Amino acid sequence: MITKAKIVLIEDEKNICSFIERILAPQGYQVTSSATGREGLDLINSLHPDLILLDLGLPDMDGLRIIEQVRTWSAAPIIVVSARTLEKSKVAALDLGADDYITKPFGTAELMARIRTALRHRQNQSAYPSTRYEVEDLVIDFERRLVKMKGQDIHLTQIEYKLVSLLAQNAGRVMTYESIISKIWGPYADNDNQILRVNMAHIRRKLEENPAEPKYIFTEIGVGYRMREE
Ligand code: CA
């Protein structure tokens, strides 16, 4: 676990800003805040933070442009903190390279969990990819390409296995429909979600006790899927 991670917070609402600072400081995070996009970009340039918390609606620029700019030179995880509930802007943020988003109002536990997940994923990326996913009754052995539920082998088609292992390798993070489709079917694949939905329905029937109330793979409506991390 990383402590004393440096975080740059770009947020123009004072209440939210101080709320986030109050949550993070006791956890040992060093938070530096900015109320404008311009100043936020300067902070990112000079501080090289371990993580960026970004509001999309800023007085001087659209937060999406910040993601775009930062991604040209930095891989620091970006979590969008936004009042926008429009799925369109969440998808745009993720497709531009944001790692996750959290919608206002949010609770302390949720914010902390998202930050830990983003920092951990960034650490793991440079190390070896994990060889195993194990949450409750579900085990995926990536080396042997085996999926087990309560100790029983689950037979998945090749595409189903690719989908499950992609989501499991990114557990805790939301993956957009578009990014999943391009990773599984290639960048020139038709961006029609239908085939993805059909495959996910099959996977859920095999993995979930009650596919209508999934325990392992959650739908982020209008955005994509997120696999449970712990
Ligand atoms: Ca705002």
Side-chain angles (χ1 to χ4, degrees):
M1 149 124 200
I2 299 182
T3 47
K4 301 213 169 155
K6 274 186 290 182
I7 297 179
V8 163
L9 166 63
I10 309 177
E11 166 68 80
D12 62 321
E13 278 167 72
K14 282 204 181 75
N15 290 341
I16 303 219
C17 216
S18 52
F19 171 67
I20 292 178
E21 285 169 352
R22 274 202 309 274
I23 294 171
L24 297 185
Q27 307 288 328
Y29 294 111
Q30 301 172 35
V31 185
T32 313
S33 319
S34 153
T36 66
R38 202 30 63 207
E39 193 198 348
L41 278 169
D42 288 344
L43 287 177
I44 295 166
N45 270 305
S46 56
L47 296 176
H48 297 280
D50 301 296
L51 184 129
I52 298 155
L53 291 171
L54 174 68
D55 177 27
L56 290 184
L58 295 166
D60 59 333
M61 64 195 289
D62 189 327
L64 291 175
R65 301 285 80 78
I66 296 184
I67 300 172
E68 219 169 29
Q69 288 197 33
V70 169
R71 277 294 169 263
T72 60
W73 62 274
S74 167
I78 299 174
I79 300 177
V80 166
V81 179
S82 181
R84 296 187 194 183
T85 46
L86 286 177
E87 277 104 31
K88 231 171 60 185
S89 53
K90 292 177 188 169
V91 173
L94 293 165
D95 284 337
L96 283 170
D99 293 68
D100 204 352
Y101 62 82
I102 184 165
T103 307
K104 298 174 201 169
F106 51 83
T108 307
E110 196 184 355
L111 178 66
M112 294 305 302
R114 296 297 174 82
I115 289 175
R116 280 195 304 268
T117 297
L119 289 171
R120 189 162 50 230
H121 277 287
R122 200 54 57 152
Q123 264 188 324
N124 291 347
Q125 266 183 1
S126 49
Y128 300 97
S130 64
T131 57
R132 197 178 166 85
Y133 171 95
E134 189 167 358
V135 170
E136 228 177 283
D137 296 323
L138 176 61
V139 174
I140 304 168
D141 181 332
F142 298 115
E143 283 174 340
R144 297 162 65 205
R145 294 176 75 90
L146 281 179
V147 179
K148 284 182 188 280
M149 174 57 70
K150 295 184 176 162
Q152 303 284 325
D153 282 336
I154 301 288
H155 177 74
L156 297 178
T157 66
Q158 210 166 345
I159 291 283
E160 288 165 4
Y161 177 78
K162 276 192 184 177
L163 277 167
V164 170
S165 56
L166 174 67
L167 290 168
Q169 293 277 10
N170 290 281
R173 298 178 63 184
V174 59
M175 304 212 58
T176 64
Y177 298 123
E178 197 183 317
S179 73
I180 296 172
I181 289 169
S182 102
K183 287 193 170 76
I184 302 293
W185 286 280
Y188 303 109
D190 194 352
N191 226 340
D192 166 17
N193 295 346
Q194 192 53 28
I195 184 156
L196 176 57
R197 279 179 220 275
V198 168
N199 274 285
M200 287 305 300
H202 291 159
I203 291 170
R204 281 187 168 142
R205 242 175 276 147
K206 294 175 183 182
L207 299 187
E208 303 281 3
E209 237 160 276
N210 177 3
E213 282 175 45
K215 271 164 56 179
Y216 299 103
I217 302 176
F218 309 113
T219 300
E220 300 274 329
I221 295 164
V223 179
Y225 297 101
R226 184 196 300 268
M227 193 144 171
R228 185 171 147 193
E229 188 172 33
E230 53 204 18

